[in-house]
Amino acid sequence: MAEEHSGTPPKEAPSDVPSKKGLAAVLDEVREINTALVGKAKEDLESLKQPEKTAVFKSIFRVKHDESSRSRALGVLSNVFLHLHPSKINRDAVRYNYTWGMGGITFYLFVVLTFTGVLLMYYYHPTKGQAYRDIVYLMSDVPFGSLLRNMHRWAAHLMIITVWLHMFRVFLTGSYKKPREFNWCVGVILLVLTLLLSFTGYLLPDDQLGFWAVTVGTNMARATPFLGHEGPFGPLLHMTPYNDVRFALLGGSIVDANALLRAYIWHCIAIPVIASVFMIVHFWRVRKDGGISGPAPVVLEQEAIKAKVLPYVVPQHTE
Amino acid sequence: MDWHQLWEITSAPDNVPIVALILLVPFYTWYGIRQALANDRLIAQLEADPQLAKTHHRKTMPWKAGWSKEIPVWPYLLRIEFLAAIVVTVILMVWSITLNAPLEELANPNLTMNPAKAPWYFLGLQEMLVYFDPWMAGVVMPSLIIVGLIVIPYIDANPLGAGYYTWKQRRFAISTFCFGFLFLWLLMVVIGTFIRGPGWMWFWPGQTWDPNNQVFEVNRDLPDLFRITNIWGKTIFGAIVMGIYFAVSGGVVHKLFTWSDWNKKVFAKMSFLQYITMQGFLTIMMLLPIKILIRHLFRIKYIWVTPWFNL
């Protein structure tokens, strides 16, 4: 019975069949609909064995998921999250020993920090007194609250380590060399932003640890040449504790409520947005500068000499 | 030997990253150097045999004729990224379940923490405060580190070693970066964490952090050793000494830089701006280890004393 209906929708009953009357006709019709629906249900169940053939699947994924190289390439290129990748890469670049995976891990940690950070914001008020109570509440009463805070803290520390190691690897492999000079500069800015993100977050629990760390850190700003009231030439420019660069950072002459609010806004909004912009440029340039730098074939000294003009020389300089 | 003190520092939750660093950095340094030496052996082999250099695939990784140079990102790269994300998540989960983030008492401006330490990644700067005034250690040096890192690609005129680990072809670049990163940055962070106790005084590992510890050291300034008392005399004297320092250290940097025949060729190709920038950053960088040395050997605090700033 099911086969009869499979594939094509049931056609309307031909007009030359003598029509029955009353209840029997209704029952017949019900039976017919029933048979059709059972057939369709079986058909749907059958199609679940091959979900990639369904219209819903095709509407989401757009390309075939088979092992042909065209489909593999399209799978990456036509996906918004994956399209930062090229469709093919250097076969040795996937080895762990070249990149150590540190750049990717750093980005993943940024994602983890954004996720846990947004969740933490639901429980936190950036006001003196309330801030510390929120943290105590989070650690003791909120379900998974301590896990959430711990993950945010440890991911932040880990991110600094992975940023340093990423930079170390990039230096050791000479990956900042032409044509990737500018991307190294973007990376240095991202390093600074990572440190600042962590530093601004340090104050937010409003405990002794954060308070004194930020006090020590921002006290350095007093000594800024020209712009700090204790720095060289600062007094000559009429710098006082109430108008110098430290005052601008803290929103006051001591680490207090304004400093907490400023740290909060820098930490949760301003620096993440700025860092995201630089990250977009960083990743974009990795692709535009020819993908990851290696492992490249080694070049010999004689070959660099043969090139006569070294590839990396300021143009106007001649022998 | 105060094991309890040592354990207290090592196990402080916020010091865990540094303990991790002490293990991770030597590992990755070794990991990089090992590949650099392997590449150097390959380079030596290819230089000795020009015929081989023409046909070799020029990597230490295995390669067979017929292998494609490129492989699809899906699945070969994406599966690794996915696995890495899982591994990092598991590490973070375990770390977060077993160890609570620190939370001290409510902030109290009237109760100074002793020692009051910056976050661990800034302890290198805080340690620098021992040797320089805050304007130098807290503002000028960090700015120079950032700018110095940014100019690296523009002053490194050596075209070799782009995209592979090597020691032989980039001896000067690698040794200066490693010196700066490992000794002037990370070692200072480690000292700031493990060695510096109350009053930012020096305690050897295992020594008890005694807040009443007294150090009987009198620091003096370099002009004092020459019995110069007049402030203008000190200013001029210090300027002369700094001039001599930059001349001598500039010479040393130049000698080290042009040590190898290859670097002599690189130097010939450098522009004046490239060369002077490199000299500037390296000689200023070397001020730090030199100030550390003269402080510990001769108890000298300032070299240059002026009415506006001291160095």
Side-chain angles (χ1 to χ4, degrees), chain B residues 131-133 220-223 291 295 300-305 310-311:
Chain B
Y131 309 102
F132 290 108
D133 276 359
R220 38 211 181 151
D221 301 336
L222 189 63
K291 280 214 76 175
R295 169 64 66 84
I300 291 171
K301 190 172 184 197
Y302 295 126
I303 301 171
W304 191 6
V305 179
N310 301 321
L311 192 73

Side-chain angles (χ1 to χ4, degrees), chain A residues 38-51 54:
Chain A
V38 167
K40 283 171 188 295
K42 282 184 179 167
E43 218 175 290
D44 284 1
L45 280 173
E46 201 61 29
S47 74
L48 282 180
K49 288 178 184 169
Q50 284 178 304
T54 60

